[in-house]
Amino acid sequence: MTEPLALYPIAKVLFPNMPLILFLHDPEEHKLIDNCTFWNQEIGVINILQAGKFPKLQQIGTRAKILNVMQIHSGTTCVMVMGTERFKVVQEIEGEIYKQAIVEIYPQQKSAPSAELIRQTEGKFHQYLNTILQEAFVGGTDLLSLPEDPEPFSYQIAESIILPSQIQQSLLEAQSSEKRIKMELALLKKEIALAEKQLYNISPAGSLFYFN
């Protein structure tokens, strides 16, 4: 276990090694960022499982380092954070100004993906980008490079695919890079098929952007 971690609930998943911009509105959010910035502490970005006055949170989130805090207009503060490592909530702490919890590291199992799995997934990822850009009437691109290390490779792809937060959460919680990349390969194949149907004016059962 570690010392209490300040939690920032949000309807989005932050992955390790990935940036995220937060827009603060509530006094509790301002107090959280002010305190953590002053003490040079990380925050815990965690996805909301069930919204409401007292939202229910997921159990797995990502620690984040605060990089920059900017006032963009009256009453709104913009905060740039960078994901560092995954955590698991052990116990939420009641009675604080903002949500806090005792957390522990959510470890990554050592299971190296094969070179062939990496090759296939990278190829499908660039095909996915080209397909959705064509759908938006923009020229395709292969310019986005991916990290060589499997773990950041898997997080970069997870961040880049347009997915509901529930599916993003399952990618975050995957216990190894190999499992996450296998999940991503299956998702990429599905999304490419849906996008190609849309390009050829064939009505798909689902939707690339999950609007159905």
Side-chain angles (χ1 to χ4, degrees), residues 11 20 24 45 67 78 82 90 99 157-158:
L20 180 64
L24 311 185
V45 177
L67 300 180
C78 173
M82 178 67 71
V90 176
K99 287 185 176 294
I157 291 179

Side-chain angles (χ1 to χ4, degrees), residues 100-201:
Q100 295 188 65
I102 300 297
V103 303
E104 62 185 13
I105 295 173
Y106 188 64
Q108 179 101 338
Q109 293 180 0
K110 301 297 181 182
S111 179
S114 67
E116 178 61 18
L117 177 60
I118 293 288
R119 185 192 67 79
Q120 287 187 34
T121 306
E122 185 169 11
K124 288 296 180 183
F125 176 66
H126 287 297
Q127 184 182 351
Y128 166 80
L129 291 181
N130 288 333
T131 303
I132 63 173
L133 287 173
Q134 288 178 48
E135 187 177 70
F137 304 105
V138 179
T141 177
D142 289 315
L143 297 179
L144 181 59
S145 60
L146 293 166
E148 293 184 4
D149 185 277
E151 188 172 348
F153 173 94
S154 69
Y155 288 135
Q156 176 72 67
I157 291 179
E159 170 68 21
S160 301
I161 309 175
I162 301 170
L163 295 169
S165 63
Q166 301 96 313
I167 298 179
Q168 285 188 323
Q169 183 71 30
S170 68
L171 292 174
L172 176 68
E173 294 182 8
Q175 294 182 335
S176 69
S177 297
E178 180 183 34
K179 183 177 180 180
R180 185 177 302 107
I181 293 170
K182 286 180 177 178
M183 293 167 64
E184 290 165 347
L185 180 57
L187 287 166
L188 286 167
K189 289 178 179 179
K190 177 182 176 182
E191 294 302 302
I192 289 167
L194 289 172
E196 288 178 343
K197 285 181 180 180
Q198 291 179 349
L199 284 172
Y200 290 101
N201 296 318

Side-chain angles (χ1 to χ4, degrees), residues 5-14 20-33 36 42-64 81 87 89 92-94 96-101 165 169:
L5 179 69
L7 299 182
Y8 190 98
I10 187 172
K12 179 173 174 53
V13 174
L14 172 64
L20 180 64
I21 298 177
L22 307 174
F23 296 94
L24 311 185
H25 301 282
D26 298 334
E28 294 83 0
E29 296 174 342
H30 284 272
K31 186 66 173 177
L32 183 156
I33 295 299
C36 292
E42 292 185 333
I43 64 173
V45 177
I46 192 161
N47 189 21
I48 296 173
L49 177 62
Q50 184 176 345
K53 185 176 181 180
F54 302 102
K56 185 177 180 180
L57 306 180
Q58 298 282 358
Q59 292 299 296
I60 309 300
T62 302
R63 298 180 72 103
V81 302
F87 67 86
V89 173
E92 290 191 32
I93 300 174
E94 302 295 336
E96 299 291 343
I97 298 175
Y98 45 80
K99 287 185 176 294
Q100 295 188 65
S165 63
Q169 183 71 30

